[in-house]
């Protein structure tokens, strides 16, 4: 059966036929062939994140990407004398702050407007004021808006003040070049169903071995204990502590192979950028205004304002496009009415052209008045 529509979302996203077909075989979690796939994935992820470095490892964690974020927040900050700074300008930064508060972790929250990139000087002031901070967490691509935050500057600043850095790269890793070793990032978190173009079911953490080793006994959760998950995978050659999503893991391995065949992260980044530029140009020609300036815009997802002075509803727009084979995303910011269109996944410039044609047809057919 062919897919009824193309997912233009930040993930889950449209995957290749070969990624989907790879899930047709069943696997045993104890089988050495399956565990060898897990170890291969860990090796490939580490090579993608820290090329040429032996300082890092990869740990896979069951659940959505949020589970992996919480495994880091709940495991790496010491129960005694740990204090976290969360720099946020959107819903996913706020989610990290919520985790820390629920976990009882002493936390300082720096909030910027959703349409404003995180300000380095403001973060520096907080670091100088709160000398007892030990960790800093930030979202790289804030998919609330499509904002790309300056993790290079933030990581450098954190290290100047002796902090351990946690980067939520959920929607960017695999689609935007990131060298965790060069940036001195201690923990980078992403998910199977984002830019590597696998399917939902697990996330992963690229961790600095030295810092991870210091986390033993820190965990505030049994199932999300990052150190124990790492230790089990190391000692038992790819075995997970609890039942792993075997089909999803095999699909992810296929997705990693296809990333390499495409030309690696840089080639995928160029495709995503072309998708995004073509999308914005076409939408602007029809009167849609992007929420962000292009200088702060990621190639991952683009937020558009509702048309002014027009009879427009997202629900009507969504359903009309779905009937034409495209699924887009609702808005998520608090102050303005927006909708979002994803640029990632098994999506190519010609697909963006087809989407733009569909939007024009939707308007001319009267299904949506622009």
């Amino acid at each position: 059966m062919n897919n009824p529509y193309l997912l233009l979302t930040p993930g889950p996203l449209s995957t290749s036929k070969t990624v989907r077909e790879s899930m047709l075989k069943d696997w045993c979690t104890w089988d050495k062939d399956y565990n060898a796939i897990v170890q291969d994935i860990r090796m490939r992820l580490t090579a993608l994140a820290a090329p040429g470095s032996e300082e890092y490892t990869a740990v896979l964690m069951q659940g959505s990407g949020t589970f992996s974020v919480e495994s880091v927040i709940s495991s790496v900050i010491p129960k005694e004398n740990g204090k976290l700074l969360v720099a946020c300008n959107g819903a996913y930064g706020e989610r990290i702050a919520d985790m820390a508060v629920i976990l009882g972790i002493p936390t300082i929250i720096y909030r910027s407007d959703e349409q404003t990139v995180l300000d380095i000087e403001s973060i520096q002031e907080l670091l100088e004021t709160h000398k007892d901070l030990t960790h800093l967490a930030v979202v790289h691509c804030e998919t609330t808006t499509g904002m790309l935050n300056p993790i290079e500057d933030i990581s450098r600043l954190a290290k100047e003040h002796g902090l351990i850095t946690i980067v939520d790269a959920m929607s960017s890793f695999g689609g935007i070049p990131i060298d965790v070793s060069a940036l001195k990032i201690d923990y980078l978190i992403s998910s199977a169903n984002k830019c590597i173009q696998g399917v939902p079911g697990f996330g992963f953490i690229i961790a600095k071995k030295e810092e991870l080793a210091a986390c033993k006994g820190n965990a505030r959760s049994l199932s999300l204990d990052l150190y124990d998950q790492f230790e089990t995978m190391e000692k038992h050659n790819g075995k997970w502590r609890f039942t792993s999503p075997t089909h999803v893991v095999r699909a992810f391995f296929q997705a990693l192979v296809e990333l390499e065949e495409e030309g690696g992260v840089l080639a995928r980044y160029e495709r995503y950028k072309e998708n995004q530029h073509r999308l914005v140009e076409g939408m602007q020609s029809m009167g849609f205004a992007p929420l962000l300036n292009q200088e702060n815009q990621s190639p991952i997802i683009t937020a558009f304002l509702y048309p002014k002075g027009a009879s427009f509803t997202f629900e009507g727009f969504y359903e009309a496009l779905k009937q034409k084979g495209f699924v887009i995303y609702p808005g998520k910011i608090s102050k303005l009415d927006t909708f979002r269109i994803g640029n990632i996944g098994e999506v190519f410039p010609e697909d963006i052209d087809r989407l733009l044609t569909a939007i024009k047809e939707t308007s001319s057919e009267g299904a949506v008045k622009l």
Side-chain angles (χ1 to χ4, degrees), residues 196-215:
I196 294 177
Q197 300 181 185
V199 299
F202 74 91
F204 54 88
I205 299 93
I206 309 297
K208 195 169 187 179
K209 293 176 184 177
E210 181 181 1
E211 294 300 336
L212 186 56
C215 293

Side-chain angles (χ1 to χ4, degrees), residues 197 257-264 267-269 271-272 345-346 348:
Q197 300 181 185
V257 170
E258 293 179 14
L259 173 61
E260 184 177 331
E261 290 172 348
E262 185 173 351
R268 186 157 290 179
Y269 173 58
R271 171 162 64 87
Y272 289 170
E346 190 74 356
F348 298 87

